[in-house]
Amino acid sequence: MAMSEAVSTVAGKTRFAATRNRENGSVSSVGAMLERVMPHNQDAEEGLLACCIFDGGQEVLATCLEAKIAPESFFVPTHQAIFEAILKLHDAGTAIDEITLADNLSSRGKAEETGGYGALTRLTSRIETTAHARFWMEIVREKYLLRRLIRTSTSVVDRCFRQQGELEQFLEEVEQEVFLISQDRVTDSAVSIKESIDSAVNLIQAMLQRRGELSGVPTGFVDLDRLTLGFHAQEVIVLAARPSVGKTALATNIAQAAILPKEAQREPIPTLIFELEMSAEQLALRLLCSHARVNMMHLSDGFRRKEEERRLAQSAKVLKQGPLWIDDSGNITILELRAKARRMHARHPLGLVIIDYLQLLSGTDARVGREQQIAEISRGIKAMAKELKVPVLVLSQLNRESERERRQPRLSDLRESGAIEQDADVVLLLARPPRSDDKTASVEDVGERDLIIAKQRNGPVGSIRLTFIPEQTRFENYTQQAN
């Protein structure tokens, strides 16, 4: 049976029937015999299901679950069956598409009822993007709550004619039933001040016990850790620079410090890197050369030294033991990135996420302006940090203004959107130190980099200096001797 045929057979109608008042043996009419179609929107239901399948059951489905959308939220029985199958596949960790859905429905004897694979493909062919998923979800949710309110109200009217017990108790029962419907109208997000104060007191005690020690993910750089006390859960840390200054090298050095702790008492911090600019192999090569302190140019020229080979082999052995994952998917949206991070976090609880770099991500709707897309991406990254409760280090580009004006970069130089500055908890700007002459700094310019803490919600701002070794793609703590 095709889905359109199945839908036509379930034009659900409800009756408000006459109610008999047994107390006096008479018939009391609630109203005339009315036939009304229960509130629903078939198009919105189909659109939301299509988005769940189109998105592979990731971001859209997560949003539905947060809004307490369940199979019974759909009016059409075939839609209920499809959403139930989507939930079963999601719970089993199985990929969600038309094929797996059709197979699941068939295995439970519901293929004929829902129309099978053909009906599912016609469903997903109705949309080209999931941009309207939240809008459709709100319609489905609203209609479901209205249906619940109608059923509850009808039941209350019927019970009013038959009520013989304590009126106060009856009113309390009615109030509770309506309240339960109201509860599903909003998701719980408010936290009692008692809980917040308790958490703050625990945080203060932990800070006093540490006496200035790191409370977050260490970066491996003494001066940066001293000012930030590490990167903390739910923080978004933006690391911005002009091209070829070393922001990717600095990010990989931070990842290395997280997964390979120097202190024996500290556990490695599982880290996920979204590398959108280069391949996983290229990033791994950088990590190897940085850890082994081997000149990458020597490898490119085919020049080998026994000592360097030994160090590379040893570094490969060490790095392979580190809890590090690299996703080099190109041209992904912020929704896809969040879904990937959520799935990885479910399998291997993460302690740090790194994104290289923000401007290479896409928004959900390519038709809107780039500034709006960047704002959406920035908000999505912040939401991901709060959801996963991990720090997220995001690399970003700076515009050319600081180079044109021959000055150090500042917050206003963040490229494309002020939303990045607004959503970030910490903003780090990496730059070459100011030069006294008119010479242009080159990529081979070994030595110093200024790391400017331009913003920090819960700490001081300032500037620190790092030593950069470009041929090893490596940063080190700055010392006067290194100069």
Side-chain angles (χ1 to χ4, degrees):
M1 183 187 299
M3 182 173 290
S4 58
E5 296 173 348
V7 168
S8 66
T9 63
V10 289
K13 295 184 179 181
T14 186
R15 293 175 181 267
F16 291 96
T19 303
R20 297 185 180 278
N21 188 337
R22 300 295 183 187
E23 182 178 356
N24 299 319
S26 61
V27 177
S28 177
S29 176
V30 176
M33 294 293 290
L34 299 176
E35 289 189 353
R36 294 186 181 180
V37 178
M38 290 285 265
H40 73 285
N41 188 313
Q42 183 175 317
D43 290 332
E45 290 187 5
E46 291 180 353
L48 182 58
L49 289 173
C51 287
C52 288
I53 303 170
F54 192 85
D55 183 49
Q58 297 301 322
E59 184 71 22
V60 175
L61 184 58
T63 305
C64 288
L65 294 176
E66 289 173 6
K68 301 181 181 179
I69 299 294
E72 57 268 22
S73 302
F74 295 84
F75 177 72
V76 181
T78 52
H79 296 168
Q80 294 178 3
I82 292 171
F83 192 73
E84 183 180 3
I86 290 173
L87 291 178
K88 287 184 178 297
L89 291 174
H90 178 264
D91 291 341
T94 305
I96 298 174
D97 56 29
E98 295 89 338
I99 297 174
T100 56
L101 262 180
D103 180 69
N104 182 276
L105 290 166
S106 177
S107 67
R108 295 188 293 120
K110 296 190 176 183
E112 184 177 355
E113 172 190 342
T114 57
Y117 175 76
L120 294 172
T121 54
R122 284 193 294 274
L123 191 67
T124 54
S125 66
R126 294 188 57 181
I127 66 169
E128 296 181 355
T129 175
T130 61
H132 298 103
R134 190 176 291 273
F135 174 71
W136 290 328
M137 182 195 70
E138 287 300 327
I139 294 176
V140 170
R141 187 160 158 269
E142 177 185 298
K143 300 300 182 185
Y144 168 59
L145 293 177
L146 286 174
R147 293 196 300 273
R148 284 185 61 186
L149 190 58
I150 288 171
R151 285 192 289 266
T152 299
S153 301
T154 306
S155 172
V156 169
V157 170
D158 181 63
R159 285 152 56 195
C160 281
F161 281 102
R162 294 184 286 107
Q163 173 61 27
Q164 293 180 354
E166 181 67 35
L167 180 60
E168 290 297 327
Q169 182 179 349
F170 175 66
L171 290 175
E172 186 175 339
E173 291 174 0
V174 172
E175 182 180 317
Q176 183 65 23
E177 290 177 15
V178 176
F179 175 71
L180 288 174
I181 298 175
S182 179
Q183 262 193 324
D184 286 345
R185 186 170 54 87
V186 292
T187 55
D188 299 329
S189 59
V191 178
S192 165
I193 184 63
K194 182 178 184 296
E195 296 180 31
S196 301
I197 291 296
D198 287 343
S199 298
V201 168
N202 292 336
L203 181 60
I204 291 171
Q205 290 176 345
M207 293 170 68
L208 292 174
Q209 289 174 359
R210 283 190 294 265
R211 295 181 181 179
E213 294 179 6
L214 291 184
S215 56
V217 176
T219 67
F221 301 102
V222 176
D223 293 334
L224 180 58
D225 286 340
R226 177 176 53 81
L227 292 174
T228 63
L229 298 181
F231 294 160
H232 300 88
Q234 303 187 44
E235 282 187 344
V236 172
I237 303 97
V238 173
L239 171 59
R242 292 292 298 152
S244 301
V245 174
K247 59 180 180 292
T248 300
L250 183 57
T252 53
N253 289 165
I254 292 172
Q256 182 179 309
I259 66 171
L260 302 175
K262 293 181 180 179
E263 301 85 3
Q265 68 272 20
R266 186 173 69 78
E267 292 294 321
I269 297 172
T271 301
L272 172 62
I273 299 179
F274 287 99
E275 182 48 66
L276 310 179
E277 190 173 25
M278 63 182 76
S279 68
E281 290 79 6
Q282 289 174 317
L283 187 63
L285 176 62
R286 286 190 171 210
L287 274 167
L288 268 174
C289 291
S290 174
H291 186 268
R293 290 178 166 81
V294 169
N295 191 324
M296 288 185 64
M297 294 302 296
H298 290 177
L299 302 179
S300 302
D301 296 338
F303 180 77
R304 297 184 302 175
R305 292 177 179 170
K306 288 292 184 181
E307 176 59 21
E308 289 182 336
E309 287 186 18
R310 186 192 66 78
R311 292 206 305 269
L312 284 169
Q314 181 63 27
S315 292
K317 184 178 179 181
V318 172
L319 288 169
K320 284 169 68 175
Q321 304 303 314
L324 176 65
W325 294 268
I326 302 172
D327 187 318
D328 61 357
S329 304
N331 193 30
I332 63 172
T333 66
I334 181 59
L335 293 183
E336 292 169 333
L337 183 141
R338 288 182 64 184
K340 286 171 177 281
R342 186 183 298 112
R343 190 161 58 244
M344 176 62 72
H345 188 63
R347 294 201 301 262
H348 307 282
L350 299 170
L352 175 65
V353 175
I354 299 175
I355 303 171
D356 183 17
Y357 59 91
L358 184 144
Q359 280 79 14
L360 291 179
L361 282 169
S362 303
T364 54
D365 191 350
R367 293 170 296 183
V368 303
R370 184 57 182 166
E371 186 169 331
Q372 287 179 265
Q373 289 189 47
I374 292 293
E376 177 198 7
I377 292 167
S378 180
R379 288 193 302 269
I381 291 172
K382 181 61 178 176
M384 180 179 73
K386 296 183 71 174
E387 176 188 354
L388 302 185
K389 294 181 173 57
V390 300
V392 179
L393 175 61
V394 190
L395 277 58
S396 180
Q397 288 188 342
L398 293 173
N399 59 35
R400 298 177 182 273
E401 293 305 310
S402 59
E403 290 183 350
R404 288 172 181 165
E405 299 175 11
R406 296 180 179 273
R407 58 167 172 79
Q408 291 292 72
R410 51 188 179 225
L411 277 175
S412 59
D413 295 325
L414 285 169
R415 184 175 168 183
E416 290 184 309
S417 175
I420 305 172
E421 175 187 345
Q422 177 181 328
D423 294 325
D425 297 281
V426 180
V427 177
L428 307 174
L429 307 177
L430 186 64
R432 296 183 177 90
R435 300 175 66 88
S436 57
D437 52 32
D438 293 329
K439 294 180 181 179
T440 302
S442 64
V443 177
E444 293 77 30
D445 202 359
V446 181
E448 303 169 8
R449 292 288 187 271
D450 282 340
L451 186 62
I452 304 163
I453 304 176
K455 175 185 177 182
Q456 186 174 194
R457 289 193 199 276
N458 301 309
V461 296
S463 179
I464 65 173
R465 187 150 290 185
L466 299 174
T467 297
F468 183 44
I469 310 172
E471 65 272 13
Q472 296 179 6
T473 61
R474 181 179 182 83
F475 279 86
E476 293 185 349
N477 291 302
Y478 176 78
T479 61
Q480 292 293 336
Q481 290 77 9
N483 217 7

